[in-house]
């Protein structure tokens, strides 16, 4: 093996790095930027043929973020903030992808990213104290640190319907949409699912299709986006106020600068009905997630939640002309916001079109896919194309797709067989120097992901700097710290209404997956304070050791 010397004096070999990052989305790109900044040699492996992560794969019609573009962006570079121009209040997939491609080019990140390479296995070698990472390109690399930037919603939940292989038409999954344009003009299209990707794509497909059949199992609450172009004045105001806006987001519950007023601190039930309706109406018109911050107890008090849920159901009934269809679209089997609320553009109005039919799978379950379409208990629907908007194996799916093994050859999948176990969502005991960005047990999917990603990346970077300053080479979560954190995450989750919903938050969409509320609902700002306090207390709950074998092999670089 050839030994080379980097320009800052550290010895390394062609297949050995200080850190390997899996994934080149928002988290992978920023993690690369930060680790290079402190002098580490880094390799990023990305399965796609371009950067972007979630926004590379999810190209379905109408794909758009549910967080405002001004907030769904990096805050680490004031220059980037000032130079980038968003065109809409809620950014579309093509625009977000252009943004990430710009970031990769602007900060010269591409040379350290290996595309079209899927990591298949990662094992910790106790003799070398390094991670050995294998890819589908028949290569193996070694690294002191292995960082999973695989995303929370990146392992598509593929459908398993009887007869699917017989269908003669075209099939699509919203999470694996082709790059080329898909034209549904004149076609009979079936969409299975009414989650976020379906709610965004259905209005677009309906404008093209000869007829669209929507097969719904569970209706979701969806709030109006009130999307609009961003004029120059709005852009300039946001850019001027970015420091304050970002700080509010970091300290908030959901990582977004939602309006907090006097009513936000009160129970729904303590506000007079007329005033309550006015506030809910005002936030509905504002659009997006504004409703979540209307009152203090929406997510913890069932009676209060019922009041807000009925307000939303009434709005659905106002939008949909057919009362039967409206009632089918109005959720009653889970409290409001216990599944991530969707944000839509004319979703409910789409059901007023003559070429759209809603099929309720509770009363008319799917029996099989046929050569010509789809058969339910009531008969067959002839289709030219099927769109599966069936979501993802969330939080753990992308990690389990990699054979991750640590001490005593224990696999992560085995350790998490009864549900994920982490300390802060950042590390799991028994897997040294393995980090999970926005992993289970952190706010992640209950927040603006970019705020949570930046906080995790910066925390991990600081921890590695701390290790190197102290002359340590191994960092690992202790079993006790992990146990205590898992218990805390569970207690905080149980104090809310979230466990009442059969959501992907608890893995309910994946057969056989343990029912565990995976994200941390304690709030983005509160979680940040906990992480900062743990770091200030000399990384309380983490164990640091010095591995001689690793030091002799690669040297220790000063941060």
């Amino acid at each position: 093996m050839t030994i080379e010397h980097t320009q800052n004096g550290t010895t390394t070999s062609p297949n050995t790095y200080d850190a390997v990052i899996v994934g080149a989305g928002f988290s992978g790109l920023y993690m690369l930027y930060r680790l290079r900044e402190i002098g580490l040699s880094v390799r990023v492996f990305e399965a796609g043929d371009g950067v972007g992560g979630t926004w590379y794969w999810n190209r379905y019609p109408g794909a758009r973020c549910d967080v405002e573009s001004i907030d769904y962006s990096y805050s680490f570079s004031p220059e980037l903030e000032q130079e980038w121009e968003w065109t809409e209040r809620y950014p579309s997939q093509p625009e977000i992808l252009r943004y990430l491609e710009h970031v990769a080019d602007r900060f010269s990140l591409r040379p350290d990213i290996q595309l079209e390479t899927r990591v298949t296995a990662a094992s910790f070698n106790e003799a070398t104290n390094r991670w050995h990472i294998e890819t589908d390109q028949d290569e193996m690399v070694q690294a002191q640190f292995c960082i999973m930037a695989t995303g929370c919603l990146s392992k598509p939940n593929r459908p398993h319907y009887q007869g699917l292989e017989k269908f003669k038409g075209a099939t699509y999954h919203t999470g694996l949409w082709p790059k080329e344009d898909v034209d549904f003009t004149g076609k009979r299209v079936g969409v299975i699912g009414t989650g976020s990707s379906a709610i965004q794509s259905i209005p677009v497909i309906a404008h093209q299709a000869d007829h669209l059949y929507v097969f719904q199992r569970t209706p979701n609450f969806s709030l109006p986006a009130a999307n609009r172009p961003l004029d120059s004045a709005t852009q300039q105001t946001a850019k001027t106020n970015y420091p304050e806006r970002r700080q509010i987001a970091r300290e908030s519950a959901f990582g977004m600068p939602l309006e907090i007023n006097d009513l936000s601190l009160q129970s729904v039930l303590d506000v007079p009905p007329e005033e309550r309706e006015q506030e809910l109406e005002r936030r509905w018109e504002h659009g997006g997630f504004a409703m979540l911050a209307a009152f203090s107890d929406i997510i913890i008090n069932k009676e209060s939640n019922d009041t807000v849920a009925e307000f939303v159901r009434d709005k659905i009934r106002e939008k949909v002309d057919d009362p039967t269809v409206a009632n089918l679209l109005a959720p009653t089997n889970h409290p409001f916001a216990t599944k991530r609320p969707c944000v839509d553009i004319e979703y409910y109005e789409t059901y007023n079109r003559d070429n759209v039919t809603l099929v309720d799978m509770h009363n008319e379950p799917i029996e099989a896919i046929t050569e010509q379409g789809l058969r339910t208990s009531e008969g067959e629907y002839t289709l030219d194309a099927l769109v599966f908007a069936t979501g993802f194996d969330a939080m753990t799916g992308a990690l389990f797709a990699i054979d991750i093994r640590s001490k005593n050859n224990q696999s992560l999948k085995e350790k998490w067989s009864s549900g994920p176990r982490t300390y802060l969502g950042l590390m799991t005991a028994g897997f040294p120097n393995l980090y999970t960005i926005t992993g289970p047990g952190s706010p992640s999917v209950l927040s603006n992901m970019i705020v949570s990603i930046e906080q995790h990346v910066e925390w991990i970077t600081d921890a590695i700097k701390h290790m190197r300053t102290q002359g340590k080479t191994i960092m690992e979560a202790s079993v006790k710290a992990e146990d205590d954190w898992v218990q805390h995450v569970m207690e905080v989750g149980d104090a809310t209404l979230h466990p009442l919903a059969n959501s992907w938050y608890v893995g309910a969409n994946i057969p056989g997956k343990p029912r565990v509320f995976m994200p941390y609902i304690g709030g983005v700002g509160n979680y940040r304070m906990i992480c900062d306090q743990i770091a200030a207390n000399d990384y309380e709950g983490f164990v640091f050791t010095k591995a001689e074998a690793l030091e002799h092999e690669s040297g220790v670089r000063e941060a």
Side-chain angles (χ1 to χ4, degrees):
M1 184 180 295
T2 303
I3 301 297
E4 298 178 345
H5 290 267
T6 61
Q7 59 184 350
N8 53 14
T10 299
T11 58
T12 185
S13 58
N15 66 342
T16 302
Y17 303 92
D18 291 321
V20 161
I21 299 169
V22 185
F26 267 101
S27 54
L29 293 179
Y30 187 42
M31 192 78 251
L32 169 59
Y33 173 85
R34 280 298 184 200
L35 293 185
R36 285 202 328 194
E37 194 176 47
I38 63 171
L40 271 63
S41 62
V42 187
R43 195 65 170 169
V44 178
F45 293 112
E46 166 56 50
D49 65 6
V51 302
T54 293
W55 301 105
Y56 170 89
W57 298 103
N58 287 265
R59 302 167 179 269
Y60 59 84
R64 190 179 296 274
C65 187
D66 57 9
V67 176
E68 294 188 38
S69 56
I70 297 297
D71 303 304
Y72 196 78
S73 57
Y74 289 120
S75 68
F76 71 87
S77 169
E79 294 79 15
L80 177 63
E81 287 179 327
Q82 295 303 314
E83 71 192 21
W84 185 261
E85 296 284 327
W86 294 103
T87 65
E88 295 180 89
R89 182 184 180 190
Y90 290 93
S92 65
Q93 178 270 335
E95 187 166 22
I96 300 172
L97 187 57
R98 286 196 300 273
Y99 174 75
L100 287 169
E101 290 170 340
H102 171 74
V103 169
D105 292 331
R106 191 192 191 288
F107 299 102
S108 303
L109 301 178
R110 292 186 190 272
D112 293 319
I113 301 172
Q114 185 170 324
L115 300 173
E116 297 183 89
T117 305
R118 186 177 296 278
V119 170
T120 57
S123 59
F124 187 76
N125 186 304
E126 292 186 72
T128 63
N129 287 297
R130 288 188 182 278
W131 282 93
H132 291 200
I133 294 110
E134 301 175 39
T135 76
D136 62 357
Q137 302 301 309
D138 293 326
E139 64 184 312
M140 177 187 284
V141 301
Q142 301 178 46
Q144 181 181 359
F145 304 104
C146 184
I147 303 169
M148 294 296 167
T150 47
C152 300
L153 299 171
S154 54
K155 179 68 164 58
N157 177 26
R158 296 176 181 272
H160 298 284
Y161 287 106
Q162 179 184 342
L164 177 57
E165 70 285 352
K166 298 178 182 178
F167 181 57
K168 292 184 176 180
T171 61
Y172 306 92
H173 190 291
T174 50
L176 293 169
W177 205 262
K179 283 187 175 183
E180 61 272 13
D181 289 338
V182 177
D183 187 1
F184 292 111
T185 301
K187 297 185 182 297
R188 294 159 299 183
V189 183
V191 173
I192 297 178
T194 49
S196 182
S197 62
I199 283 173
Q200 291 183 339
S201 61
I202 283 169
V204 180
I205 296 173
H207 278 282
Q208 293 182 347
D210 178 65
H211 201 94
L212 173 62
Y213 297 92
V214 178
F215 297 89
Q216 173 183 271
R217 182 183 62 183
T218 306
N220 277 290
F221 289 100
S222 188
L223 305 170
N227 191 40
R228 61 179 180 271
L230 287 180
D231 56 41
S232 57
T234 302
Q235 292 257 17
Q236 190 53 51
T237 298
K239 290 180 178 183
T240 300
N241 297 328
Y242 253 139
E244 178 184 10
R245 187 182 185 103
R246 300 293 199 190
Q247 192 58 32
I248 291 172
R250 294 184 189 109
E251 296 173 357
S252 69
F254 302 109
M256 292 173 274
L258 302 178
E259 179 192 350
I260 303 296
N261 57 27
D262 290 341
L263 293 178
S264 303
L265 306 177
Q266 298 184 48
S267 166
V268 175
L269 305 177
D270 291 340
V271 178
E274 184 176 343
E275 188 177 358
R276 180 176 64 217
E277 288 293 311
Q278 288 176 349
E279 182 66 5
L280 291 174
E281 184 69 38
R282 186 179 69 83
R283 289 181 179 260
W284 177 270
E285 291 299 321
H286 182 273
F289 291 133
M291 188 82 70
L292 300 182
F295 302 99
S296 65
D297 61 346
I298 293 174
I299 206 64
I300 58 174
N301 184 305
K302 183 64 166 57
E303 187 178 354
S304 295
N305 189 286
D306 288 343
T307 302
V308 177
E310 189 59 24
F311 173 89
V312 178
R313 285 192 285 264
D314 284 343
K315 287 295 183 182
I316 297 171
R317 296 178 187 116
E318 288 177 13
K319 289 174 177 285
V320 181
D321 296 339
D322 186 325
T324 301
V325 174
N327 284 331
L328 288 175
L329 291 168
T332 56
N333 74 334
H334 64 279
F336 171 71
T338 53
K339 295 184 176 184
R340 185 169 176 125
C342 302
V343 175
D344 72 89
I345 299 175
E346 297 186 348
Y347 171 66
Y348 294 113
E349 293 87 340
T350 298
Y351 292 94
N352 296 328
R353 297 175 60 95
D354 293 336
N355 70 327
V356 176
T357 300
L358 179 66
V359 180
D360 177 26
M361 288 196 286
H362 281 290
N363 295 321
E364 193 176 338
I366 294 174
E367 293 183 344
I369 308 297
T370 67
E371 288 187 4
Q372 303 302 321
L374 182 153
R375 187 177 73 245
T376 71
S377 60
E378 299 300 311
E380 186 162 343
Y381 294 85
T382 302
L383 303 170
D384 300 304
L386 264 172
V387 175
F388 295 101
T390 47
F392 300 90
D393 184 352
M395 307 292 287
T396 59
L399 295 172
F400 289 169
I402 303 170
D403 185 13
I404 302 174
R405 294 181 179 270
S406 188
K407 296 177 179 178
N408 302 317
N409 202 35
Q410 181 186 34
S411 76
L412 185 69
K413 192 171 185 178
E414 290 168 348
K415 178 179 176 179
W416 288 6
S417 59
S418 298
R421 302 188 65 80
T422 72
Y423 183 30
L424 302 176
L426 283 159
M427 300 192 83
T428 186
F431 291 74
N433 289 359
L434 176 74
Y435 301 92
T436 52
I437 301 177
T438 62
S442 71
S444 59
V445 293
L446 296 174
S447 70
N448 171 1
M449 289 297 298
I450 312 307
V451 172
S452 291
I453 284 168
E454 287 192 322
Q455 185 257 333
H456 264 198
V457 167
E458 290 160 9
W459 195 95
I460 292 168
T461 304
D462 288 343
I464 292 174
K465 287 169 63 178
H466 173 80
M467 290 173 65
R468 299 210 154 194
T469 299
Q470 299 297 315
K472 306 299 184 181
T473 49
I474 298 293
M475 178 180 185
E476 184 179 349
S478 73
V479 173
K480 183 180 187 307
E482 177 178 282
D483 289 345
D484 290 347
W485 183 252
V486 170
Q487 180 68 23
H488 175 63
V489 170
M490 182 179 67
E491 289 174 353
V492 173
D494 287 345
T496 73
L497 302 174
H498 277 281
L500 299 180
N502 287 323
S503 68
W504 54 259
Y505 290 153
V506 298
N509 62 322
I510 305 298
K513 191 168 183 175
R515 297 295 181 92
V516 176
F517 188 65
M518 292 180 281
Y520 178 59
I521 189 63
V524 167
N526 181 56
Y527 172 82
R528 180 185 294 268
M529 286 193 294
I530 292 171
C531 289
D532 289 349
Q533 187 60 52
I534 285 170
N537 290 345
D538 201 25
Y539 291 88
E540 182 180 3
F542 293 97
V543 178
F544 296 89
T545 54
K546 186 176 183 178
E548 295 293 338
L550 187 147
E551 285 189 30
H552 291 324
E553 190 175 324
S554 67
V556 177
R557 182 176 307 157
E558 292 298 325

